[in-house]
Amino acid sequence: MSDHAWLPLFPLNTVLFPGGALPLRVFETRYIDMVRDCMKRDAPFGVVRIKSGKEVGVAAQPDSVGCLAHIVEWDMPELGLLMLQTSGGQRFRVLETRTLPDQRIEARTELIADDADAPPSAELVACATALNTVIKDINEAARASGEGGFSPFPAELKLDSTCWVANRWCEILPISTLARQKLLELTDAQSRLAIVHQYLVQHGIVAGDKSH
């Protein structure tokens, strides 16, 4: 990104995590132009949660931390509609924004270092085992739909990684986008996994620690 100081932002009512898979349906001219420019430069754009405002129309106010989205695949099934598959890269912090005449937002950013992976733990094993079951169920449902159902999970599973397991759970838990955003902003993978584990125990998805 060094050759392009201003990062184009795509404000959405969702939160992208590193290593995540995010399909996007792009139909607004301003964002089709943005995506084309990124593809030309083989550069990512930034996905940020909308703090206030809407996805369409006047520029929305983005949250202060987002995630780079790398374009993996694209298709234009009809004129004026781009279908993208994107992959979550590194997180970034928004330092300054500017709004372009077409109401697109660009930002000066600083990258946030990737979380260090924590040593294996009982929490990781419990969360990873449950996640593996969920992934299989969702993938089977996507295949059974017969309509090119999309799996929200990357092809390569990293069930021995605290970062990866915590991030995938953060994407699929039925929580608010604000709660998801707070989890994205944590800079410690073990803390993120601990919160996920607590949620799964409270909702009976994994067993609690019987020693307590």
Side-chain angles (χ1 to χ4, degrees), residues 16 19-25 72-73 83-88 134-135 137-155 171-172:
L16 177 63
L22 179 67
L24 289 171
R25 187 172 177 274
V72 180
E73 291 177 26
M83 305 296 286
L84 302 180
Q85 298 287 2
T86 68
S87 174
V134 169
I135 289 173
D137 289 348
I138 290 177
N139 286 350
E140 281 174 16
R143 282 193 294 271
S145 70
E147 299 174 3
F150 173 76
S151 167
F153 301 101
E171 291 165 348
I172 61 174

Side-chain angles (χ1 to χ4, degrees), residues 24-174:
L24 289 171
R25 187 172 177 274
V26 185
F27 55 88
E28 283 193 271
T29 304
R30 57 179 170 167
Y31 290 122
I32 289 177
D33 291 344
M34 180 193 82
V35 167
R36 279 178 170 157
D37 180 57
C38 287
M39 288 193 290
K40 235 182 264 179
R41 296 184 294 107
D42 193 23
F45 53 87
V47 168
V48 283
R49 173 185 172 269
I50 292 175
K51 199 172 181 179
S52 64
K54 297 181 179 177
E55 289 186 356
V56 296
V58 177
Q61 183 187 354
D63 236 312
S64 58
V65 172
C67 185
L68 295 178
H70 297 270
I71 301 165
V72 180
E73 291 177 26
W74 68 275
D75 185 30
M76 187 173 271
E78 59 187 77
L79 197 62
L81 177 63
L82 257 180
M83 305 296 286
L84 302 180
Q85 298 287 2
T86 68
S87 174
Q90 207 166 345
R91 289 170 300 163
F92 59 84
R93 187 169 283 103
V94 173
L95 304 177
E96 177 188 358
T97 61
R98 68 180 182 189
T99 303
L100 303 181
D102 63 359
Q103 294 299 300
R104 274 193 300 123
I105 308 170
E106 293 183 334
R108 288 196 190 278
T109 60
E110 66 177 7
L111 292 176
I112 299 172
D114 291 331
D115 295 340
D117 236 331
S121 63
E123 283 183 349
L124 174 59
V125 172
C127 292
T129 303
L131 179 63
N132 195 33
T133 302
V134 169
I135 289 173
K136 284 179 179 173
D137 289 348
I138 290 177
N139 286 350
E140 281 174 16
R143 282 193 294 271
S145 70
E147 299 174 3
F150 173 76
S151 167
F153 301 101
E156 183 188 358
L157 307 186
K158 299 178 181 176
L159 295 170
D160 58 349
S161 164
T162 299
C163 292
W164 194 90
V165 170
N167 286 347
R168 299 297 74 77
W169 271 118
C170 288
E171 291 165 348
I172 61 174
L173 288 178

